[in-house]
Amino acid sequence: MQTSRDEAIRKLIKVFRTYGYEGTTLSLISKMTGLGKASLYHHFPKGKQEMAEAVLVHLYQMFGEIVLKPLQEDTLPRDRLRGMCEGLNQFYDRGQAACLIAVFSLGGEESMFREPVKRALQEWVECLEKILLEAGCDRAKQRAEEAVMQVQGGLIVTQVLGDTLPFEKMLAELPEKLLEGSQKDSIMVS
Amino acid sequence: MQTSRDEAIRKLIKVFRTYGYEGTTLSLISKMTGLGKASLYHHFPKGKQEMAEAVLVHLYQMFGEIVLKPLQEDTLPRDRLRGMCEGLNQFYDRGQAACLIAVFSLGGEESMFREPVKRALQEWVECLEKILLEAGCDRAKQRAEEAVMQVQGGLIVTQVLGDTLPFEKMLAELPEKLLEGSQKDSIMVS
DNA sequence: TTTAATTTACCGAACGTTCGGTACAATGTC
DNA sequence: GACATTGTACCGAACGTTCGGTAAATTAAA
């Protein structure tokens, strides 16, 4: 049955996000999913690595749906950015859920997730850059990168401090800040 | 004294920064330091945990010296912030070196480094906030938190993309951006 | 000042445990 | 009966840690 695997993946997401790849053990997975080793290896024959890959794919699709999709809508750039920020707040559970891009970036050169993680990050930056160019922003790529930095760092700060407020505040102001000084969407300070 | 404890710590820093706590094995440590396992236990009787703690303490002191100290100088707020950014660029090797605050934030509640890491982050935010208040900034705490987010996220982006440029650009603009709209240190846009 | 005693720094081998992974029989479901 | 799913027992490898012991430096006693 397909549900079982998808259901397992949904639970696996939390484990890998919380403990990282090396910190996630099979017994931990077994405990958190309620599945025995045999069941896990039935659904993921290649073992732990396949589980992590499945989680990565699942989150990648979710990210596209929840965060990137609002950027493709046919509305004002500012509204699209707001849509993305709402998506980010949901996707990262108000900053409480770690980003696998950050978590799986550990391990130096020999990490097996470097490339897909890098591509995902680049895609995000490019999507943002496109909107900012469209809105007439200068240094669009730099702005896009800095927005991604802000979000990634926001996740860390949130988790370390155990407070979701800074993350949500930051997200709320991100669209305005990104468009600051843009030509087609200028802000008049009262 | 052939290999001092401090010398070992200096080499341990890179290992823990690169591989995280769980990803750092004793054999890896042994290889990177050139010390046998028993020698490591001679310098750090409590083992891996003590090594990580020693690294944490060492980096904490270094951070205070290189990053926080410039904030206490007797100059203009903007110059102090510039000093901090120079310190950050050095401390994080242009964004190539991970921050243990982020790396050791993994592991959920049961992580043994949560508290010291949290305190270090709070101290950083408070130092920044003080400067921003002094400079007459509104929402000083929020600005301070967002600056820390920017730096933390910048490290992740740098390491994932393998490009130090975005991090250095971000640092270069951080002081101006932080003081934007402040009363005592306003910026005249030409 | 020689020498004996102690401490310091270091090592590889081995410990018990847990790791990720496998084999296979037993169960459930159609 | 066929096939997906699971529980149990088990594997070699790697984990963090401890062991017994060596070589050299330091200290103490003669």
Side-chain angles (χ1 to χ4, degrees):
Chain A
M1 191 182 280
Q2 189 69 3
T3 40
S4 190
R5 194 185 134 104
D6 273 2
E7 203 174 317
I9 291 178
R10 228 164 290 129
K11 290 176 181 172
L12 283 173
I13 289 175
K14 187 173 183 187
V15 186
F16 280 109
R17 271 183 160 178
T18 307
Y19 298 96
Y21 185 77
E22 311 290 345
T24 296
T25 68
L26 280 199
S27 33
L28 191 58
I29 291 175
S30 190
K31 198 196 307 176
M32 303 292 275
T33 58
L35 267 59
K37 278 194 197 180
S39 311
L40 290 169
Y41 271 82
H42 172 71
H43 293 296
F44 310 94
K46 284 187 297 180
K48 186 180 172 183
Q49 182 173 341
E50 187 177 350
M51 299 180 209
E53 280 166 2
V55 165
L56 216 47
V57 167
H58 189 97
L59 280 182
Y60 175 75
Q61 291 171 340
M62 235 175 126
F63 189 81
E65 197 66 32
I66 301 180
V67 179
L68 261 32
K69 201 175 171 187
L71 290 177
Q72 332 286 345
E73 280 183 12
D74 195 19
T75 55
L76 282 175
R78 176 177 301 172
D79 292 329
R80 277 181 273 170
L81 290 174
R82 282 181 180 149
M84 178 190 77
C85 287
E86 281 171 31
L88 284 169
N89 202 30
Q90 178 191 340
F91 184 79
Y92 290 118
D93 191 19
R94 295 178 297 149
Q96 293 175 118
C99 179
L100 279 197
I101 287 179
V103 170
F104 282 180
S105 72
L106 282 173
E109 304 297 329
E110 56 255 48
S111 166
M112 40 199 164
F113 304 111
R114 282 199 88 66
E115 273 312 308
V117 156
K118 182 177 177 182
R119 266 183 277 119
L121 192 72
Q122 283 173 329
E123 186 185 351
W124 184 11
V125 171
E126 281 160 20
C127 283
L128 257 176
E129 185 189 359
K130 235 179 89 181
I131 309 282
L132 295 178
L133 279 172
E134 201 178 319
C137 286
D138 60 330
R139 298 170 298 128
K141 187 175 183 182
Q142 189 183 337
R143 282 179 196 240
E145 285 167 346
E146 283 177 11
V148 171
M149 291 182 195
Q150 196 93 65
V151 173
Q152 290 292 334
L155 294 172
I156 291 168
V157 170
T158 301
Q159 284 147 51
V160 170
L161 296 185
D163 181 8
T164 61
L165 216 74
F167 183 76
E168 297 196 89
K169 272 195 198 169
M170 179 271 289
L171 274 189
E173 295 190 3
L174 192 56
E176 309 297 330
K177 200 170 280 183
L178 269 173
L179 294 171
E180 212 161 67
S182 77
Q183 295 174 358
K184 305 185 188 173
D185 206 295
S186 65
I187 298 167
M188 292 294 115
V189 198
S190 61
Chain B
M1 191 185 289
Q2 282 90 343
T3 298
S4 70
R5 193 185 136 105
D6 272 2
E7 199 174 323
I9 292 178
R10 230 166 288 128
K11 291 176 180 172
L12 284 173
I13 289 175
K14 187 174 183 186
V15 187
F16 280 109
R17 272 184 158 176
T18 308
Y19 298 96
Y21 185 76
E22 311 291 345
T24 296
T25 67
L26 277 205
S27 25
L28 189 59
I29 291 175
S30 185
K31 199 195 309 175
M32 303 293 274
T33 56
L35 263 58
K37 292 186 183 182
S39 311
L40 290 168
Y41 270 82
H42 171 70
H43 293 293
F44 309 95
K46 284 188 298 179
K48 186 180 171 182
Q49 181 174 342
E50 188 177 349
M51 300 181 207
E53 279 166 2
V55 165
L56 216 46
V57 168
H58 190 98
L59 279 182
Y60 175 75
Q61 290 170 341
M62 236 176 127
F63 188 83
E65 198 64 32
I66 300 180
V67 178
L68 260 34
K69 201 175 172 187
L71 290 177
Q72 332 285 345
E73 280 183 8
D74 194 20
T75 56
L76 282 176
R78 176 175 302 172
D79 291 330
R80 277 180 274 169
L81 291 174
R82 282 181 182 148
M84 178 191 75
C85 287
E86 280 170 34
L88 285 169
N89 202 31
Q90 177 191 342
F91 185 77
Y92 290 118
D93 191 19
R94 294 177 298 149
Q96 293 175 119
C99 178
L100 279 197
I101 287 180
V103 169
F104 282 179
S105 72
L106 282 173
E109 303 297 330
E110 56 255 50
S111 166
M112 41 199 163
F113 303 111
R114 283 200 85 69
E115 272 312 308
V117 156
K118 181 178 176 181
R119 265 183 277 119
L121 192 72
Q122 283 173 330
E123 186 184 352
W124 184 10
V125 170
E126 281 160 20
C127 284
L128 256 175
E129 185 189 0
K130 234 177 89 181
I131 308 282
L132 295 177
L133 279 173
E134 200 179 319
C137 286
D138 60 332
R139 300 170 298 126
K141 186 174 183 184
Q142 189 182 339
R143 281 179 197 240
E145 284 167 345
E146 284 178 9
V148 172
M149 292 182 195
Q150 197 91 64
V151 172
Q152 289 292 334
L155 294 172
I156 291 168
V157 170
T158 302
Q159 282 147 52
V160 170
L161 297 184
D163 181 9
T164 62
L165 217 72
F167 183 76
E168 296 196 89
K169 271 195 198 170
M170 180 272 288
L171 275 190
E173 296 190 3
L174 192 57
E176 310 296 331
K177 200 169 281 182
L178 270 173
L179 293 171
E180 211 161 69
S182 79
Q183 294 173 359
K184 306 185 189 172
D185 205 295
S186 65
I187 298 166
M188 293 293 118
V189 198
S190 61

